[in-house]
Amino acid sequence: MKDATQVGLPRWLDHVLGQEPAHRVHMSQALLALGLCVGFALLGAWAARQAATPWPVVLTWASVLVLGQSALVAAIHTRWSMRWADPSLTLAQIVFTMLMSALVYPLVGELSTGVLPVFVLILSFSMFMLKERQTRWLSLISLGLVLLGMVLNHLAHGAPPGVQATYFCVMVICVAGMSVLAARMNALRQRMRRQREDLVQALQRIEELAIRDGLTGLFNRRHGMELLGEALSRHARQPHPLHVLLLDLDHFKRINDVHGHGVGDKVLRAFGHTTLDALRATDLAVRWGGEEFLLVLAGDDAQVPVERLRLAVAASAVEAASGQALTFSFSAGWTEVRENDTVESLMERADAALYRAKQAGRDRVEHA
């Protein structure tokens, strides 16, 4: 997020809105509502004076409107509103402003029709923030408050019932239209939310495919090279025990030739799952290519996870085409990371140790 000075906003406004993006949105909406309430208070006070409403009544109404909305803004700014499901207090702001609009309706006499668009404006805010059911309830509440204001206007100023009834019918039509629009807007928000969630899941899946081997679930070679390079950089800055093993599944070509590539894939998949289960969270496992794998182990006790992996692989088996259980094993070359080591020098020593393990009869780990 850009600093306020980078987008032309004064620094004091940046302090008012806050740094967190969601909180800035809530504060911006609340300050906009406060500005509208101040304008409504000034206009309502002028209209009430035109209707000869006493100054104390006018000032009381205007003060309650502005101070009430200011209190809601303060609740959002101090994050007191975070304890509620809607931190922006949208419902509270709308109901409060509607109530104040209903109270000013009988104070402005013949100018009361100017209050009706305010109800519609207030309801329009609910379309973008509230659920469909909440908007329906607000529509009913607004009609009830308009009716209350009309009754009070009739009692205070003798407003013609027929004219008030006409105004009320117009409000019913407007509110009904707003409710339909709110329902469509809510459906659109829900669809956009689902699409956004689907997009996030798709991006996560793409990221996984970019760094994982689809068959074994281990990191692929490209990402493994990046992680190994990062591990070497950390080791150069702060030396610590770090071990690299190059593994090869024993007689894998024979498995493919005798049992078929489908069984070979089962073996690779089983080895990948067994490796993920046997190693520690801090260890790195990579499918280096074909039936070859790379392990990067940190710590002095690297022999423990290697032995645990060897025993786990020895105890695992896959079902061959004949229905019989097919066991498999691996050979490995082991080397520690040394000063000034590179990926190439590491892999050269590990590969040489792996070659000796194969020459010595396989199913073993040789050290370099």
Side-chain angles (χ1 to χ4, degrees), residues 145-190:
L145 290 174
V146 167
L147 183 59
L148 174 63
M150 289 179 174
V151 171
L152 294 176
N153 194 25
H154 173 71
L155 296 177
H157 301 282
V163 175
Q164 298 297 302
T166 302
Y167 292 161
F168 185 74
C169 290
V170 172
M171 278 298 299
V172 170
I173 295 174
C174 292
V175 170
M178 293 293 295
S179 297
V180 173
L181 290 176
R184 291 180 177 271
M185 186 65 70
N186 183 71
L188 179 61
R189 287 204 313 269
Q190 294 299 323

Side-chain angles (χ1 to χ4, degrees), residues 25-38:
V25 172
H26 298 159
M27 280 300 300
S28 299
Q29 293 171 344
L31 289 174
L32 174 61
L34 177 59
L36 293 175
C37 284
V38 171

Side-chain angles (χ1 to χ4, degrees), residues 18-346:
Q19 298 294 332
E20 185 183 350
H23 189 252
R24 291 175 71 92
V25 172
H26 298 159
M27 280 300 300
S28 299
Q29 293 171 344
L31 289 174
L32 174 61
L34 177 59
L36 293 175
C37 284
V38 171
F40 183 37
L42 294 174
L43 185 60
W46 175 84
R49 285 302 298 157
Q50 297 302 308
T53 302
W55 266 115
V57 176
V58 174
L59 292 177
T60 299
W61 172 83
S63 299
V64 171
L65 174 60
V66 175
L67 293 177
Q69 181 61 32
S70 298
L72 292 172
V73 172
I76 297 172
H77 179 67
T78 59
R79 300 181 183 272
W80 181 87
S81 62
M82 295 298 294
R83 66 186 67 190
W84 303 103
D86 179 18
S88 62
L89 300 179
T90 305
L91 189 60
Q93 294 185 65
I94 290 177
V95 172
F96 171 73
T97 313
M98 280 185 175
L99 178 61
M100 298 307 297
S101 301
L103 292 178
V104 80
Y105 193 91
L107 302 182
V108 296
E110 296 180 354
L111 299 176
S112 58
T113 53
V115 180
L116 299 181
V118 176
F119 281 93
V120 178
L121 177 62
I122 296 171
L123 276 177
S124 67
F125 279 90
S126 68
M127 290 196 307
F128 301 97
M129 299 296 296
L130 302 180
K131 298 179 180 178
E132 181 181 354
R133 185 181 62 174
Q134 292 175 316
T135 304
R136 286 200 302 266
W137 275 108
L138 280 178
S139 299
L140 294 175
I141 292 173
S142 67
L143 290 176
L145 290 174
V146 167
L147 183 59
L148 174 63
M150 289 179 174
V151 171
L152 294 176
N153 194 25
H154 173 71
L155 296 177
H157 301 282
V163 175
Q164 298 297 302
T166 302
Y167 292 161
F168 185 74
C169 290
V170 172
M171 278 298 299
V172 170
I173 295 174
C174 292
V175 170
M178 293 293 295
S179 297
V180 173
L181 290 176
R184 291 180 177 271
M185 186 65 70
N186 183 71
L188 179 61
R189 287 204 313 269
Q190 294 299 323
R191 184 163 63 251
M192 292 179 64
R193 180 184 59 80
R194 289 193 296 268
Q195 290 176 346
R196 185 167 59 251
E197 292 175 351
D198 292 341
L199 179 59
V200 170
Q201 293 177 0
L203 290 175
Q204 291 175 345
R205 178 59 179 162
I206 291 173
E207 291 176 357
E208 283 292 312
L209 291 175
I211 65 175
R212 294 278 181 181
D213 173 62
L215 184 62
T216 63
L218 305 180
F219 290 121
N220 58 32
R221 179 166 182 151
R222 180 187 61 80
H223 191 60
M225 287 282 287
E226 294 177 0
L227 295 178
L228 180 56
E230 293 173 1
L232 291 179
S233 297
R234 289 193 298 270
H235 183 272
R237 293 192 303 269
Q238 186 176 1
H240 57 280
L242 191 64
H243 310 267
V244 172
L245 285 86
L246 191 61
L247 288 72
D248 190 274
L249 295 181
D250 294 329
H251 305 297
F252 186 75
K253 184 178 184 300
R254 184 188 305 171
I255 293 176
N256 278 334
D257 293 341
V258 174
H259 301 281
H261 289 278
V263 175
D265 287 347
K266 287 184 180 180
V267 171
L268 291 172
R269 191 179 298 112
F271 180 78
H273 294 169
T274 302
T275 300
L276 290 175
D277 291 338
L279 297 185
R280 303 163 300 187
T282 56
D283 297 329
L284 171 65
V286 181
R287 185 181 181 186
W288 201 244
E291 69 273 20
E292 206 167 50
F293 299 85
L294 177 74
L295 303 183
V296 181
L297 312 176
D300 294 319
D301 58 343
Q303 291 183 353
V304 175
V306 173
E307 180 64 16
R308 185 164 59 243
L309 174 62
R310 190 188 67 80
L311 294 175
V313 169
S316 62
V318 299
E319 184 178 353
S322 62
Q324 296 179 338
L326 176 65
T327 59
F328 54 94
S329 61
F330 67 85
S331 303
W334 182 336
T335 184
E336 296 91 357
V337 176
R338 302 168 186 171
E339 187 177 359
N340 299 322
D341 250 335
T342 64
V343 173
E344 290 74 17
S345 62
L346 267 174

Side-chain angles (χ1 to χ4, degrees), residues 4 10-19 23-24 77:
R11 187 171 296 276
W12 66 266
L13 186 56
D14 189 50
H15 290 301
V16 171
L17 296 178
Q19 298 294 332
H23 189 252
R24 291 175 71 92
H77 179 67

